[in-house]
Amino acid sequence: MNTVWAARAIKGLAFVLAALVFSPAADAAGEVNLYSYRQPFLMKPLLKAFNKQTGIKVNVVYAKKGLLERIKAEGRNSPADLVLSADIGRLNDLVAAGLVQPVKSEVLDANIPPQYRHKDGLWFGLTTRARVVYAHKDRVKAGELASYEDIAKPHFKSRLCTRSGKHPYNVTLLASIIAAKGEKAAEDWARGVKANLARKPQGNDRAQVKAIYQGECDVSLGNTYYMGKMATNDKKPEQKKWAAAVRVVFPNQNGRGAHVNASGAALTKSSKNRNNAVKLLEFLSGPFAQKIYAEQNFEYPVRDGVAFHPLVESWGRFKADTVNLLEVTKHRTTATKIMDRVRFDH
Ligand code: FE
């Protein structure tokens, strides 16, 4: 990748972390422009391998938020071909804003199970992660909790910690409960969880595990890969202690299965390098990329037959909710309203 970086202030868009000057196609293989919510440490090895295999140059803009607003502002002149996101909700927001176009590819259809891709090819899941319950190893006894429903019961009064109810991870989890049991049951659940909180929602998923370690609460919600990131964190070794204090509980194993979200990608409507963008999508869903992709971030490969990271394997195999993610994302707006109604963050 011969990316040329330049600091650039974009008026009205305070979110920009780094801006890239896109150069015109340099060689026959051409290029592809990526707007990525996924982080450089994860994408760089993959994009390097893609470039080596195809000769296609990949230019990337990394950002933590605001890429939808940016693409909207850039309009038809947007250089973005693909948007990569760690959450299907964000890809769905792009669909709702009319900023993406369908991709038809037999390779993608063969590599990605139907529940993890949009039925019209408007987005494709590339890795999956379960949103599980983290439970203190001693203070929560085996059998004390087995489902998302359990953590909303009075038994867990003042024993729960979580990040904001408005965070996409929690919104999508709540949307999956709406999909499974309807709006009323989902609202009751959100109310029950809120009533059990030991403190106001705050921090990220890892901060909840820290709170469990420190004894503030016994149980939290978190994505599986954070367990891997904490347990192997040499830069912040204190996180290893947090991780060691909890165990992963895959909820609803005797029912619909654990809620699984996917990271994924979508092709922008204004894409100028459509063929190369599809090639990159196909590469990312292929066996070689899937192994690196999932292992780098302790996620699950979206396609079958790819080995898990040994640490991920050590948490055990689990039953995933097989509901189509498209069905889940339909309920995100309602889920957000429920979080407001129950004043989850207040
Ligand atoms: Fe995350």
Coordinates of all heavy atoms in Angstrom, one line a residue, residues 43 46-47 50 53 82 84 103-113 116-117 123-128 263-265 276-294 300-306:
M43 N -6.5 -4.3 10.0 CA -6.7 -4.3 8.5 C -5.4 -4.3 7.8 O -5.3 -4.9 6.7 CB -7.5 -3.0 8.1 CG -8.9 -3.0 8.7 SD -9.8 -4.6 8.5 CE -9.8 -4.8 6.8
L46 N -4.1 -7.7 6.4 CA -5.0 -8.2 5.4 C -4.9 -7.5 4.1 O -4.8 -8.1 3.0 CB -6.4 -8.1 5.9 CG -6.8 -9.0 7.0 CD1 -8.1 -8.6 7.7 CD2 -7.0 -10.4 6.5
L47 N -4.8 -6.1 4.2 CA -4.7 -5.3 3.0 C -3.4 -5.5 2.2 O -3.3 -5.5 1.0 CB -5.0 -3.9 3.3 CG -6.4 -3.6 4.0 CD1 -6.6 -2.2 4.3 CD2 -7.5 -4.1 3.1
F50 N -3.7 -8.7 0.4 CA -4.6 -8.5 -0.8 C -3.8 -7.8 -1.9 O -3.9 -8.2 -3.1 CB -5.8 -7.6 -0.4 CG -6.7 -7.2 -1.5 CD1 -7.5 -8.2 -2.2 CD2 -6.7 -5.9 -2.0 CE1 -8.3 -7.8 -3.2 CE2 -7.5 -5.5 -3.0 CZ -8.3 -6.5 -3.7
Q53 N -1.4 -10.2 -3.6 CA -2.1 -11.2 -4.4 C -2.6 -10.6 -5.7 O -2.6 -11.3 -6.7 CB -3.2 -11.8 -3.6 CG -3.7 -13.1 -4.1 CD -4.8 -13.7 -3.3 OE1 -6.0 -13.5 -3.5 NE2 -4.4 -14.4 -2.2
L82 N -15.6 1.2 -0.4 CA -16.2 0.3 0.6 C -16.1 0.9 1.9 O -15.2 1.7 2.3 CB -15.3 -0.9 0.6 CG -15.4 -2.1 -0.4 CD1 -14.4 -3.2 0.0 CD2 -16.8 -2.6 -0.4
L84 N -16.1 -0.3 5.9 CA -15.9 -1.4 6.8 C -16.4 -1.0 8.2 O -15.9 0.0 8.7 CB -14.4 -1.8 6.9 CG -13.8 -2.8 5.9 CD1 -12.4 -3.0 6.2 CD2 -14.5 -4.1 5.9
V103 N -24.4 -5.7 -4.3 CA -23.3 -6.5 -4.9 C -23.9 -7.9 -5.1 O -24.5 -8.5 -4.2 CB -22.1 -6.6 -3.9 CG1 -21.0 -7.6 -4.5 CG2 -21.4 -5.2 -3.7
K104 N -23.7 -8.4 -6.3 CA -24.0 -9.8 -6.6 C -22.8 -10.6 -6.8 O -22.0 -10.2 -7.7 CB -25.0 -9.9 -7.8 CG -26.4 -10.2 -7.4 CD -27.2 -10.7 -8.6 CE -27.8 -12.1 -8.4 NZ -28.3 -12.4 -7.1
S105 N -22.5 -11.6 -6.0 CA -21.3 -12.4 -6.2 C -21.5 -13.8 -5.7 O -21.9 -14.0 -4.5 CB -20.1 -11.7 -5.3 OG -19.1 -12.6 -5.0
E106 N -21.2 -14.7 -6.5 CA -21.4 -16.1 -6.1 C -20.4 -16.5 -5.1 O -20.6 -17.3 -4.2 CB -21.2 -17.0 -7.4 CG -22.5 -17.1 -8.2 CD -22.3 -17.8 -9.5 OE1 -21.3 -18.6 -9.7 OE2 -23.1 -17.7 -10.4
V107 N -19.2 -15.9 -5.2 CA -18.1 -16.2 -4.2 C -18.6 -15.7 -2.8 O -18.5 -16.5 -1.8 CB -16.8 -15.4 -4.5 CG1 -15.8 -15.6 -3.5 CG2 -16.3 -15.9 -5.9
L108 N -19.2 -14.5 -2.7 CA -19.6 -14.0 -1.4 C -20.8 -14.9 -0.9 O -20.9 -15.2 0.3 CB -20.0 -12.5 -1.5 CG -18.9 -11.6 -1.7 CD1 -19.4 -10.2 -2.0 CD2 -17.9 -11.6 -0.5
D109 N -21.7 -15.2 -1.8 CA -22.8 -16.0 -1.4 C -22.4 -17.4 -0.9 O -23.0 -18.0 0.0 CB -23.8 -16.2 -2.6 CG -24.6 -14.9 -2.9 OD1 -24.4 -14.0 -2.1 OD2 -25.3 -14.9 -3.9
A110 N -21.3 -18.0 -1.5 CA -20.8 -19.3 -1.1 C -20.1 -19.2 0.3 O -20.1 -20.1 1.1 CB -19.9 -19.9 -2.1
N111 N -19.3 -18.1 0.4 CA -18.5 -17.9 1.6 C -19.3 -17.5 2.9 O -18.9 -17.8 4.0 CB -17.4 -16.9 1.4 CG -16.3 -17.4 0.5 OD1 -16.2 -18.6 0.2 ND2 -15.4 -16.5 0.0
I112 N -20.3 -16.7 2.7 CA -21.0 -16.1 3.9 C -22.4 -16.7 4.1 O -23.2 -16.6 3.2 CB -21.0 -14.5 3.7 CG1 -19.6 -14.0 3.4 CG2 -21.7 -13.9 4.9 CD1 -19.6 -12.5 3.0
P113 N -22.6 -17.3 5.2 CA -24.0 -17.8 5.5 C -25.0 -16.7 5.3 O -24.8 -15.6 5.7 CB -23.9 -18.3 6.9 CG -22.4 -18.5 7.2 CD -21.7 -17.4 6.4
Y116 N -25.9 -13.8 7.8 CA -24.8 -12.8 8.0 C -24.6 -11.9 6.8 O -23.5 -11.3 6.6 CB -23.5 -13.4 8.4 CG -23.6 -14.2 9.7 CD1 -23.1 -15.5 9.9 CD2 -24.3 -13.6 10.8 CE1 -23.3 -16.2 11.1 CE2 -24.4 -14.3 12.0 CZ -23.9 -15.6 12.1 OH -24.0 -16.3 13.3
R117 N -25.6 -11.9 5.8 CA -25.5 -11.0 4.7 C -26.8 -10.4 4.4 O -27.9 -11.1 4.6 CB -24.8 -11.6 3.5 CG -25.4 -12.9 3.0 CD -24.6 -13.4 1.8 NE -24.7 -14.8 1.7 CZ -25.7 -15.5 1.0 NH1 -26.6 -14.8 0.5 NH2 -25.7 -16.8 1.0
W123 N -25.0 -5.4 2.3 CA -23.9 -5.5 3.1 C -23.5 -7.0 3.3 O -24.4 -7.8 3.1 CB -24.0 -4.8 4.5 CG -25.3 -5.0 5.3 CD1 -26.3 -4.1 5.5 CD2 -25.7 -6.2 6.0 NE1 -27.3 -4.7 6.2 CE2 -26.9 -5.9 6.6 CE3 -25.1 -7.4 6.2 CZ2 -27.6 -6.9 7.4 CZ3 -25.8 -8.4 7.0 CH2 -27.0 -8.1 7.5
F124 N -22.3 -7.2 3.7 CA -21.8 -8.6 3.9 C -21.1 -8.6 5.3 O -20.2 -7.8 5.5 CB -20.9 -9.0 2.8 CG -21.6 -9.1 1.5 CD1 -21.7 -7.9 0.7 CD2 -22.2 -10.2 1.0 CE1 -22.3 -8.0 -0.6 CE2 -22.8 -10.3 -0.2 CZ -22.9 -9.2 -1.0
G125 N -21.4 -9.6 6.1 CA -20.7 -9.8 7.3 C -19.4 -10.5 7.0 O -19.3 -11.3 6.1
L126 N -18.3 -10.1 7.8 CA -17.0 -10.7 7.5 C -16.4 -11.4 8.7 O -15.6 -12.3 8.6 CB -16.1 -9.6 7.1 CG -16.4 -9.0 5.7 CD1 -15.6 -7.8 5.4 CD2 -16.2 -10.0 4.6
T127 N -16.8 -11.0 9.9 CA -16.5 -11.8 11.1 C -17.7 -11.7 12.0 O -18.5 -10.8 11.9 CB -15.3 -11.2 11.9 OG1 -15.6 -9.8 12.3 CG2 -14.0 -11.2 11.0
T128 N -17.7 -12.6 13.0 CA -18.8 -12.5 14.0 C -18.3 -12.5 15.4 O -17.1 -12.9 15.6 CB -19.8 -13.7 13.9 OG1 -19.2 -14.9 14.2 CG2 -20.4 -13.8 12.5
S263 N -19.2 -8.0 12.1 CA -18.5 -6.9 11.4 C -18.7 -7.1 9.9 O -18.9 -8.3 9.5 CB -17.0 -6.8 11.8 OG -16.3 -7.8 11.0
G264 N -18.6 -6.1 9.2 CA -18.8 -6.3 7.7 C -18.5 -5.1 6.9 O -17.9 -4.2 7.3
A265 N -19.0 -5.2 5.6 CA -18.6 -4.1 4.7 C -19.8 -3.9 3.7 O -20.6 -4.8 3.5 CB -17.4 -4.5 3.9
N276 N -12.8 -3.7 -8.2 CA -11.7 -3.9 -7.2 C -12.3 -4.1 -5.8 O -11.8 -4.8 -5.0 CB -10.7 -2.8 -7.3 CG -9.8 -2.9 -8.5 OD1 -9.8 -3.9 -9.2 ND2 -9.1 -1.9 -8.8
A277 N -13.4 -3.3 -5.6 CA -14.0 -3.3 -4.3 C -14.6 -4.7 -4.0 O -14.5 -5.3 -3.0 CB -15.1 -2.3 -4.2
V278 N -15.3 -5.3 -5.1 CA -15.8 -6.6 -5.0 C -14.7 -7.7 -4.8 O -14.9 -8.6 -4.0 CB -16.7 -7.0 -6.2 CG1 -17.2 -8.4 -6.1 CG2 -17.9 -6.0 -6.3
K279 N -13.6 -7.5 -5.5 CA -12.5 -8.4 -5.3 C -12.0 -8.4 -3.9 O -11.7 -9.4 -3.3 CB -11.3 -8.0 -6.2 CG -11.5 -8.6 -7.6 CD -10.2 -8.2 -8.5 CE -10.6 -8.3 -10.0 NZ -9.6 -7.6 -10.8
L280 N -12.0 -7.2 -3.3 CA -11.5 -7.1 -1.9 C -12.5 -7.8 -0.9 O -12.1 -8.5 0.0 CB -11.3 -5.6 -1.5 CG -10.8 -5.3 -0.1 CD1 -9.6 -6.1 0.3 CD2 -10.6 -3.8 0.2
L281 N -13.8 -7.5 -1.2 CA -14.8 -8.2 -0.4 C -14.6 -9.7 -0.4 O -14.7 -10.4 0.6 CB -16.2 -7.8 -0.9 CG -16.8 -6.6 -0.4 CD1 -18.2 -6.4 -1.1 CD2 -17.1 -6.7 1.1
E282 N -14.4 -10.2 -1.7 CA -14.3 -11.7 -1.9 C -13.0 -12.2 -1.2 O -13.1 -13.2 -0.5 CB -14.3 -12.0 -3.4 CG -15.6 -11.7 -4.0 CD -15.6 -11.9 -5.5 OE1 -14.5 -12.1 -6.1 OE2 -16.7 -12.0 -6.1
F283 N -12.0 -11.4 -1.2 CA -10.7 -11.8 -0.6 C -10.9 -11.9 0.9 O -10.5 -12.8 1.6 CB -9.6 -10.8 -0.9 CG -8.4 -11.0 -0.1 CD1 -7.4 -11.9 -0.5 CD2 -8.1 -10.2 1.0 CE1 -6.2 -12.1 0.2 CE2 -6.9 -10.4 1.8 CZ -6.0 -11.3 1.3
L284 N -11.6 -10.9 1.5 CA -11.8 -10.8 3.0 C -12.7 -12.0 3.5 O -12.6 -12.4 4.6 CB -12.4 -9.5 3.4 CG -11.5 -8.3 3.2 CD1 -12.2 -7.0 3.6 CD2 -10.2 -8.4 4.1
S285 N -13.5 -12.5 2.6 CA -14.4 -13.6 3.0 C -13.8 -15.0 2.6 O -14.3 -16.0 2.9 CB -15.8 -13.5 2.3 OG -15.6 -13.8 0.9
G286 N -12.6 -15.0 2.0 CA -11.9 -16.2 1.7 C -11.2 -16.9 2.8 O -11.0 -16.2 3.9
P287 N -10.8 -18.1 2.7 CA -10.2 -18.9 3.8 C -8.9 -18.2 4.4 O -8.7 -18.2 5.6 CB -9.9 -20.3 3.2 CG -10.0 -20.1 1.8 CD -10.9 -18.9 1.5
F288 N -8.1 -17.7 3.6 CA -6.8 -17.1 4.0 C -7.1 -15.9 4.9 O -6.6 -15.8 6.0 CB -5.9 -16.8 2.8 CG -4.7 -16.0 3.2 CD1 -3.6 -16.7 3.8 CD2 -4.6 -14.7 3.1 CE1 -2.4 -16.0 4.2 CE2 -3.4 -14.0 3.4 CZ -2.4 -14.7 4.0
A289 N -7.9 -15.0 4.4 CA -8.2 -13.7 5.1 C -9.0 -14.0 6.3 O -8.8 -13.4 7.4 CB -8.9 -12.8 4.2
Q290 N -9.9 -15.0 6.2 CA -10.8 -15.3 7.4 C -10.0 -15.7 8.6 O -10.3 -15.3 9.7 CB -11.8 -16.4 7.0 CG -13.0 -15.8 6.2 CD -13.9 -15.0 7.0 OE1 -14.5 -15.6 7.9 NE2 -14.0 -13.7 6.8
K291 N -8.9 -16.5 8.4 CA -8.1 -17.0 9.5 C -7.4 -15.8 10.2 O -7.5 -15.6 11.4 CB -7.1 -18.0 9.0 CG -6.4 -18.7 10.1 CD -5.8 -20.0 9.7 CE -5.2 -20.8 10.8 NZ -4.3 -20.1 11.7
I292 N -6.8 -14.9 9.4 CA -6.1 -13.8 10.0 C -7.1 -12.8 10.6 O -6.9 -12.4 11.8 CB -5.3 -13.0 8.9 CG1 -4.3 -13.9 8.1 CG2 -4.6 -11.8 9.5 CD1 -3.6 -13.2 7.0
Y293 N -8.1 -12.5 9.9 CA -9.1 -11.6 10.3 C -9.7 -11.9 11.7 O -9.7 -11.1 12.6 CB -10.3 -11.6 9.3 CG -11.0 -10.4 9.0 CD1 -11.7 -10.1 7.8 CD2 -11.1 -9.3 10.0 CE1 -12.4 -9.0 7.5 CE2 -11.8 -8.2 9.7 CZ -12.4 -8.0 8.5 OH -13.1 -6.9 8.2
A294 N -10.1 -13.2 11.8 CA -10.7 -13.6 13.1 C -9.7 -13.7 14.2 O -9.9 -13.3 15.3 CB -11.4 -15.0 12.9
Y300 N -14.9 -14.6 15.5 CA -15.2 -15.8 14.9 C -15.2 -15.6 13.4 O -15.8 -14.6 12.9 CB -16.6 -16.3 15.3 CG -16.6 -16.7 16.8 CD1 -17.1 -15.8 17.7 CD2 -16.1 -17.9 17.3 CE1 -17.1 -16.0 19.1 CE2 -16.1 -18.2 18.6 CZ -16.6 -17.3 19.5 OH -16.6 -17.5 20.9
P301 N -14.6 -16.6 12.6 CA -14.7 -16.5 11.2 C -16.2 -16.6 10.8 O -16.9 -17.3 11.4 CB -13.9 -17.7 10.7 CG -13.3 -18.4 11.8 CD -14.0 -17.8 13.1
V302 N -16.5 -15.8 9.7 CA -17.9 -15.9 9.3 C -18.2 -17.1 8.5 O -19.3 -17.6 8.5 CB -18.3 -14.6 8.5 CG1 -17.8 -14.6 7.1 CG2 -19.8 -14.3 8.6
R303 N -17.2 -17.7 7.9 CA -17.4 -18.9 7.1 C -17.0 -20.2 7.8 O -16.2 -20.1 8.8 CB -16.6 -18.8 5.7 CG -15.1 -18.7 5.9 CD -14.4 -18.7 4.6 NE -14.3 -20.0 4.0 CZ -14.2 -20.3 2.7 NH1 -14.1 -19.3 1.8 NH2 -14.1 -21.5 2.3
D304 N -17.6 -21.3 7.5 CA -17.3 -22.5 8.2 C -15.9 -23.0 7.8 O -15.4 -22.6 6.7 CB -18.3 -23.6 7.8 CG -19.7 -23.2 8.3 OD1 -19.7 -22.6 9.4 OD2 -20.7 -23.6 7.7
G305 N -15.4 -23.9 8.6 CA -14.1 -24.6 8.2 C -12.9 -23.8 8.5 O -11.8 -24.3 8.1
V306 N -12.9 -22.7 9.2 CA -11.7 -21.9 9.5 C -11.5 -22.1 11.0 O -12.4 -21.9 11.8 CB -11.9 -20.4 9.1 CG1 -10.6 -19.6 9.5 CG2 -12.2 -20.3 7.7

